[in-house]
Amino acid sequence: MILTEHPRPSHTFVHISDTHLPGERSPLYGSGTDADSNLSLMLDRLVASGLKPDALLMTGDLTDRGDVSAYRRLRALVEPAAVALECEIVWAAGNHDDRAAMRAELLDGSGDDPITSVRWFGDMRVIVLDSTVPGAHWGELDEAQLSWLASELSVAAPAGTLLLIHHPPLPTVLDLAVTVELRDQPRLAAVLAGSDVGGILSGHVHHPSFGTFAGIPVAVASSSAYGQDLAQPIGATRGQDAAQGYNLVHVYADTIVHSAVSLQRGTDVGEPVAADEAGRRIAGRGIGWRDGARSDASLAGDDI
C-alpha cells in the first residue's frame, strides 16, 4: 500500500473575521449588504459540511458599532452553530468593537480592560490579543499586554501556539489602510522571536492575505460581511458586497495550512465527487492514510 505524504491534521479550526453586525438588522453603509444573512449562510454551510472543528476563531470587528443588540444577535447566530459543529468559540476584539459590551454579552463578564485570553485544545494553545485602541481604528499593543504575552510564551506548548490579533502585522496592499494598521510592530516581533507561535491569525482588511512576521506565517481571513475589491486602480479602495469568506486552518506536526473559502458558490465544473466515492477511489488506487489524528470528515478526490 502507498501511504499519503501527510497524515490527517491534528487540529482543525474555522477562522471567521469581521462579521460587522449593525445595531439593528439593516444593510451596511447604505448598500444592500446584509451582514446577518451572510454570516447565517456561512454558518449553515459549515454545519451542513459535516466538519467537526476544534473551534470557531472569531478575529474581531464582531459588530459594526459595538451595540449590545448586535452582540446579542451575534451570539444567537454563532452559539447554535458551534453546538451543531461540536466545537468551542474563541472571541477576539476588533476596532469596531466595544470592550465593555463585548465582555458582557459574549463573555459573561464585566469591565473595559483589553480582552485577552489563553485557550487550550488538547496540547495546542491559542492566545488572544487585543490590538484595539478605544476611539481609534488603528491598532496597538501596550507594554502591559506585551509583558503578559511574553510571560505566557515563556513556557512552550507541546503542539505549539496560534496567536489571534485583529490588526494583521503585515504590510497592507491597500494604500488607505496604512491609516488603520497595527503600529509599533517591532515591539511585538521582539516578544515573538524564538517563541513556539506557529501561526498568526488576523482580520481587519476584508480580503485574504498571507505573509510572514518575525519569521511566523500570518493568515488574514476575509470578512463574512463584505469584501474589498483589489482589482481597483493603484491607490484606490472599494468595498463590495462580494468576496466574503473564511479560512480553514488545518494543523499538522510540521506545518499549518490556511485555506480561503468563498461564501459565493458557482455552477459545477467537472464531476462532483461525494465523500464516500472519493474514499472508494483512494482505496482503489492502493493509497492509505499515514498514521495521524483525524479532525474532520473531508476526503480528497481525484480532481482538485
Side-chain angles (χ1 to χ4, degrees):
M1 176 179 288
I2 301 171
L3 293 179
T4 59
E5 294 297 314
H6 302 277
R8 294 290 189 176
S10 61
H11 298 78
T12 300
F13 299 96
V14 176
H15 176 196
I16 299 174
S17 199
D18 294 86
T19 50
H20 277 274
L21 266 60
E24 300 300 327
R25 185 169 179 176
S26 59
L28 282 175
Y29 313 143
S31 70
T33 300
D34 186 337
D36 289 69
S37 291
N38 287 342
L39 178 59
S40 180
L41 176 60
M42 182 178 290
L43 294 171
D44 286 346
R45 287 181 177 168
L46 275 167
V47 171
S49 75
L51 186 74
K52 298 300 179 187
D54 293 89
L56 302 178
L57 306 178
M58 313 289 292
T59 54
D61 281 4
L62 306 171
T63 66
D64 195 54
R65 297 184 180 274
D67 297 285
V68 167
S69 58
Y71 287 114
R72 290 176 179 172
R73 293 202 325 280
L74 179 67
R75 189 169 185 171
L77 283 170
V78 177
E79 283 192 346
V83 170
L85 291 165
E86 300 176 14
C87 73
E88 299 183 36
I89 308 168
V90 180
W91 305 103
N95 51 289
H96 281 256
D97 290 307
D98 179 273
R99 288 174 177 169
M102 178 178 165
R103 186 175 269 113
E105 299 302 327
L106 298 183
L107 303 173
D108 299 321
S110 61
D112 58 2
D113 293 335
I115 296 175
T116 60
S117 64
V118 178
R119 301 280 289 274
W120 288 87
F121 299 90
D123 54 4
M124 184 161 208
R125 177 172 55 189
V126 173
I127 296 179
V128 177
L129 297 180
D130 187 341
S131 57
T132 67
V133 178
H137 287 294
W138 47 270
E140 190 174 52
L141 298 169
D142 61 20
E143 286 299 333
Q145 196 169 160
L146 289 171
S147 294
W148 171 81
L149 176 62
S151 177
E152 291 294 333
L153 293 176
S154 65
V155 178
T161 297
L162 288 178
L163 187 69
L164 273 56
I165 179 172
H166 178 70
H167 296 79
L170 288 178
T172 172
V173 300
L174 293 172
D175 284 359
L176 192 57
V178 299
T179 64
V180 295
E181 65 186 346
L182 181 68
R183 298 183 178 178
D184 295 325
Q185 294 182 20
R187 293 162 62 235
L188 174 61
V191 173
L192 296 180
S195 73
D196 72 337
V197 174
I200 300 172
L201 279 60
S202 300
H204 191 49
V205 294
H206 289 242
H207 62 81
S209 195
F210 306 91
T212 58
F213 177 73
I216 301 168
V218 180
V220 183
S222 185
S223 163
S224 68
Y226 69 94
Q228 286 289 345
D229 181 1
L230 298 186
Q232 289 293 294
I234 299 296
T237 298
R238 173 183 175 266
Q240 60 179 339
D241 188 12
Q244 296 95 338
Y246 61 94
N247 287 354
L248 289 176
V249 183
H250 291 95
V251 180
Y252 301 85
D254 55 358
T255 192
I256 300 174
V257 177
H258 302 266
S259 305
V261 183
S262 174
L263 181 63
Q264 285 75 37
R265 298 176 69 179
T267 57
D268 292 343
V269 177
E271 174 198 5
V273 180
D276 56 352
E277 174 59 19
R280 284 193 290 272
R281 295 186 187 186
I282 292 169
R285 300 274 181 95
I287 298 173
W289 288 97
R290 192 171 296 275
D291 289 342
R294 176 175 180 174
S295 60
D296 66 70
S298 63
L299 287 168
D302 288 332
D303 302 309
I304 57 175

